[in-house]
Amino acid sequence: MAEAYIYDAVRTPRGRGKADGALHEIPALELATQVLQALRDRNGLDTSRLDDVVLGVVAPVGEQGADIARIAVLNADFDHRVAGVQLDRYCASGLEACNVAAAKVICGEADLAIGGGVESMSRVPMGSAGGAWSVDPSIAFKSYYIPQGVSADLIATRYGFSRHDVDSYAVESQRRAGLAWHEQRFARSVIAIKDALGLTVLDRDEHMRPETTVESLGKLKPSFAEMGAYVFDEIVKQRYPEVGRVQHVHHAGNSSGIVDGASGVLIGSKEIGQALGLKPRARFRAMASIGSEPSIMLTGPEFVTAKVLARAGMSKNDIDLWELNEAFASVVLRLNQAYQIDPARMNVNGGAIAMGHPLGATGGMLLGTVLDELERQDLSTALVTLCVGAGMGTATIIERI
């Protein structure tokens, strides 16, 4: 089978996912369109050689629905023969889209594809797609459904992370993101988003608060204590009776930010790269997804990491850089604890706590970010992973060329 190579990766800045956010006036279609156009223009791409565009979208409804990937292909003025498909694996959708694009290349279905994602959370709010799990008793009861925020607090309680631990991690994420922007580490990948007049509306992540301190975060009340007290702490006791009382430690300052954004990764075979004069930057070593216990929900990265390392014939010591989506601080602390990862090699440029988590787009963003960092530090291998709703994990290992 062929190998799949990464030729380029771009992302939008992340705009605050509110009506006063800089990207609120830019629909998801336009965010995706500008990412596709950037990949085309930066690489002098003859789009008739592109086979498919795969985009993750977690709320594929309204203006984000109806196969936005194909509509973005048309809106970007790509060759009309380029196909497009959207998919949803909750928070891992963007990485899953890249894995699907890579798999198409590996199996010979495609020579050249784009993976990534888009989410305009200010225009299509989180949860807009609905779903049975949280509201249909026939599935909610037997799977011990609890919301993600309570799950994050359960992880902190079960594995011994205090309020100070999660707040300290959040402060470090903010510090690292601020430093990364100050040192222009994202300059290669972040594209400016423009309005209908061609004027730049955002060229920098908007959600960051690098001045954050542990003391300032300490003034915030836990976000999920009330819903826990309402019913969900009792469900935790049924599923995990050994835990006892849930310590509610997460809040807006140590959880991922709600933002708008899009990402795109150009993936192809060695032969198409040679034919089009593209220089490969990395290759896919292994990809994996896994299910995990759905009530605690967010521990999937621990188990999918073991699976993807085994698929690659690698150990944790073979990984130079780790990139784990900062859905909640306890998620990252748990993976570090489980694998004894050096914190200096995990999320070295900050993450979603500082910069935000545009659900469907984040996985593609992480892949591009860690590739840039491999090149900046002259390192070789990276593992990217995300926790996933309903108890799953997705992971990818790449090796720099």
Side-chain angles (χ1 to χ4, degrees):
M1 292 188 292
E3 289 192 303
Y5 294 87
I6 297 176
Y7 289 102
D8 200 8
V10 301
R11 71 169 177 90
T12 70
R14 298 164 170 101
R16 285 195 311 273
K18 299 180 179 180
D20 62 353
L23 296 182
H24 177 66
E25 65 180 276
I26 311 295
L29 174 61
E30 187 60 27
L31 294 176
T33 296
Q34 292 192 32
V35 163
L36 295 184
Q37 290 173 330
L39 286 171
R40 177 196 63 195
D41 297 345
R42 285 159 54 113
N43 295 283
L45 192 63
D46 175 2
T47 60
S48 70
R49 304 297 297 272
L50 185 69
D51 295 295
D52 212 347
V53 172
V54 187
L55 295 182
V57 187
V58 175
V61 296
E63 62 189 33
Q64 278 184 178
D67 192 357
I68 193 172
R70 170 59 177 169
I71 307 307
V73 163
L74 299 176
N75 198 45
D77 298 318
F78 279 23
D79 190 287
H80 72 270
R81 289 169 291 185
V82 180
V85 62
Q86 67 184 36
L87 58 78
D88 174 20
R89 197 189 289 279
Y90 298 126
C91 295
S93 298
L95 186 61
E96 183 69 20
C98 293
N99 289 350
V100 167
K104 286 174 175 284
V105 172
I106 291 168
C107 76
E109 181 187 341
D111 297 314
L112 191 65
I114 292 173
V118 63
E119 206 83 31
S120 179
M121 300 180 75
S122 70
R123 298 173 66 94
V124 184
M126 182 167 52
S128 294
W133 189 35
S134 62
V135 297
D136 184 343
S138 68
I139 178 61
F141 288 173
K142 72 178 181 181
S143 61
Y144 297 92
Y145 168 78
I146 59 176
Q148 283 196 5
V150 179
S151 294
D153 288 338
L154 171 57
I155 291 172
T157 305
R158 192 179 189 204
Y159 295 105
F161 306 128
S162 67
R163 172 68 181 264
H164 185 268
D165 292 333
V166 293
D167 283 354
S168 295
Y169 181 84
V171 169
E172 181 63 9
S173 178
Q174 294 282 0
R175 186 195 70 81
R176 292 184 182 192
L179 178 63
W181 270 105
H182 177 72
E183 295 185 351
Q184 299 183 337
R185 298 183 191 178
F186 302 131
R188 180 170 185 173
S189 297
V190 174
I191 62 170
I193 293 299
K194 302 181 183 298
D195 63 15
L197 299 177
L199 301 176
T200 296
V201 295
L202 190 65
D203 60 6
R204 182 181 177 87
D205 291 324
E206 189 180 26
H207 185 267
M208 297 187 303
R209 295 180 178 85
E211 71 283 358
T212 300
T213 65
V214 172
E215 290 72 26
S216 64
L217 292 183
K219 298 176 182 178
L220 300 178
K221 295 182 179 180
S223 296
F224 309 105
E226 187 173 339
M227 66 173 62
Y230 173 68
V231 66
F232 294 109
D233 285 356
E234 292 302 315
I235 297 175
V236 169
K237 290 179 183 179
Q238 294 176 27
R239 181 63 184 85
Y240 291 96
E242 73 278 10
V243 168
R245 181 173 176 268
V246 176
Q247 303 296 319
H248 292 284
V249 297
H250 287 91
H251 49 75
N254 56 34
S255 307
S256 54
I258 294 172
V259 293
D260 304 331
S263 62
V265 181
L266 183 62
I267 300 165
S269 66
K270 181 178 182 180
E271 291 74 19
I272 195 68
Q274 291 173 338
L276 298 179
L278 302 173
K279 182 179 179 181
R281 298 173 62 189
R283 70 184 181 99
F284 285 79
R285 281 288 302 268
M287 306 169 287
S289 289
I290 200 168
S292 59
E293 200 285 304
S295 189
I296 200 168
M297 195 183 312
L298 307 175
T299 56
E302 175 183 348
F303 308 109
V304 79
T305 291
K307 185 176 182 178
V308 78
L309 286 171
R311 286 191 181 280
M314 301 171 74
S315 76
K316 69 168 188 175
N317 296 325
D318 296 317
I319 303 300
D320 295 319
L321 294 176
W322 300 73
E323 200 74 23
L324 168 58
N325 184 39
E326 294 175 352
F328 300 90
S330 64
V331 173
V332 185
L333 294 178
R334 173 54 191 158
L335 189 65
N336 284 351
Q337 180 189 67
Y339 286 88
Q340 294 297 294
I341 299 168
D342 179 358
R345 296 194 291 143
M346 170 70 79
N347 296 354
V348 298
N349 293 315
I353 290 173
M355 293 177 285
H357 174 25
L359 303 176
T362 302
M365 291 183 169
L366 297 184
L367 200 58
T369 294
V370 82
L371 175 54
D372 285 345
E373 189 62 20
L374 285 175
E375 293 172 341
R376 188 183 77 85
Q377 293 195 40
D378 193 21
L379 298 174
S380 179
T381 57
L383 189 152
V384 179
T385 184
L386 301 92
C387 60
V388 187
M392 292 185 284
T394 296
T396 303
I397 297 173
I398 62 170
E399 181 179 41
R400 181 177 157 227
I401 302 298

